[in-house]
């Protein structure tokens, strides 16, 4: 199989539909301290499909609300703007990709792994003084390049999945060996095309090479959370392998094994509820 050229990838990704208006507005809100929350709520509410999925997550057992929320505005009041923003970005971006024509790609395992990384990243962020909702968003979206491959290059990704099984190697290695590009690089292209904030772009582009990113980005955090999720087999995928942990990411973040031990029970408790809500 011939490697994918950068031009091939760019050309195909440019054909993707635009992000929903609410998602675009929310992406700019990360760097804007004077967010017009009411205007964003109106944008989300006008997109009925997006609003319905967000309310489904808000009303899931994950948030443990005493009563159901019936509107986006109510969700913002009850669980907060940042939490709603994470939900909208997660369901709004991933919903753009149709992956049913890629043999071997397991969407359920993909979603479970993203949720696992998001939950671990949020718990770590809370402990280490980072933005927990940004970390959760980065975890959900970190493997977005895989969805882009499954939707736009299904034959190529299917071959990489078969290569992974044959050689018992991580998917990122199979992609590089067979395609000449990996899902992290493709995720970085998507993040740049869609004007993601730099720290969120690093979660997609650099989570397999965090030393290439700056210490204040999400790359270290998502890399560690990715390794933990793989190590625990949260994706429930028979091909899940324990990935090596980058020493730079571990040291820059200052991870303590005792912290990981402390956060994991809550992560495991939240896992099923979140997966059901985002499905």
């Amino acid at each position: 199989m011939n490697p994918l050229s950068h031009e091939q990838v760019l050309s195909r990704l440019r054909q993707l539909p635009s992000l929903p208006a609410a998602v675009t507005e929310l992406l700019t809100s990360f760097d804007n301290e004077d967010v017009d929350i009411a205007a964003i709520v109106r944008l989300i509410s006008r997109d009925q499909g997006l609003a319905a999925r967000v309310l489904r997550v808000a009303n899931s057992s994950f948030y443990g609300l005493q009563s159901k929320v019936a509107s986006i505005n109510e969700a913002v009041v009850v669980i907060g703007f940042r939490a709603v923003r994470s939900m909208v970005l997660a369901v709004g971006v991933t919903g753009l990709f149709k992956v049913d024509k890629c043999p071997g790609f397991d969407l359920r395992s993909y979603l479970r792994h993203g949720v696992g990384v998001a939950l671990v990243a949020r718990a770590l962020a809370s402990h280490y003084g980072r933005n927990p909702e940004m970390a959760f968003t980065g975890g959900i979206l970190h493997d977005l390049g895989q969805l882009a491959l499954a939707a736009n290059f299904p034959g190529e990704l299917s071959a990489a999945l078969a290569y992974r099984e044959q050689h018992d190697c991580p998917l990122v290695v199979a992609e590089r060996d067979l395609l000449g590009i990996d899902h992290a690089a493709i995720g970085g292209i998507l993040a740049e095309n869609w004007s993601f904030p730099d720290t969120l772009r690093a979660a997609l582009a650099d989570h397999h090479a965090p030393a290439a990113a700056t210490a204040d980005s999400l790359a270290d955090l998502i890399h560690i959370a990715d390794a933990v999720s793989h190590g625990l087999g949260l994706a429930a995928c028979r091909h899940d392998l324990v990935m090596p942990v980058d020493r730079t990411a571990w040291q820059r973040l200052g991870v303590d094994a005792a912290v990981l031990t402390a956060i994991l029970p809550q992560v495991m408790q939240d896992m099923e509820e979140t997966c059901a809500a985002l499905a």
Side-chain angles (χ1 to χ4, degrees), residues 98-138:
K98 307 301 180 187
V99 299
D100 54 330
K101 296 183 179 179
C102 181
F105 182 74
D106 187 340
L107 181 60
R108 178 179 174 275
S109 292
Y110 170 89
L111 291 172
R112 286 186 60 89
H113 176 65
V115 167
V117 174
L119 291 171
V120 175
R122 182 167 65 179
L124 288 173
S126 296
H127 185 85
Y128 291 109
R130 303 291 187 91
N131 183 327
E133 296 306 331
M134 176 77 96
F136 186 87
T137 303

Side-chain angles (χ1 to χ4, degrees), residues 24 28 39 126 132 138 145 171-172 188 200 246 255 279:
T24 301
T28 64
S126 296
L171 180 58
V172 68
L200 191 55
D246 185 277
V255 180

Side-chain angles (χ1 to χ4, degrees), residues 1-5 9 102 104-106 110 113 142-151 153-188 204-205 207-208 226 230:
M1 175 170 288
N2 294 326
L4 293 174
S5 70
V9 173
C102 181
F105 182 74
D106 187 340
Y110 170 89
H113 176 65
H142 79 287
D143 276 343
L144 193 62
Q146 286 186 28
L147 284 187
L149 278 169
F153 300 96
E156 288 82 353
L157 180 58
S158 184
L161 291 166
Y163 183 100
R164 175 185 67 177
E165 184 169 1
Q166 179 183 358
H167 295 273
D168 195 26
C169 65
L171 180 58
V172 68
V173 172
E175 291 167 348
R176 291 168 184 166
D177 286 354
L178 206 59
L179 310 181
I181 192 170
D182 61 46
H183 65 267
I186 291 174
L204 277 67
H207 66 276
H208 282 296
D226 195 16
H230 279 299

Side-chain angles (χ1 to χ4, degrees), residues 1 36 54 60 62 82 84 104 110 125 129 135-136 155 175 180 190 202 210 226 231 245 264 267 269:
M1 175 170 288
D36 188 342
V54 171
S60 70
F62 175 67
R82 288 184 174 181
V84 171
Y110 170 89
F136 186 87
E175 291 167 348
L190 279 172
D226 195 16
V245 175
L264 290 182
V267 168
Q269 180 179 326

Side-chain angles (χ1 to χ4, degrees), residues 35-42 73 76 81:
V35 181
D36 188 342
I37 295 177
I40 293 178
V41 166
R42 287 194 295 271
N73 187 65
V76 169
F81 172 69

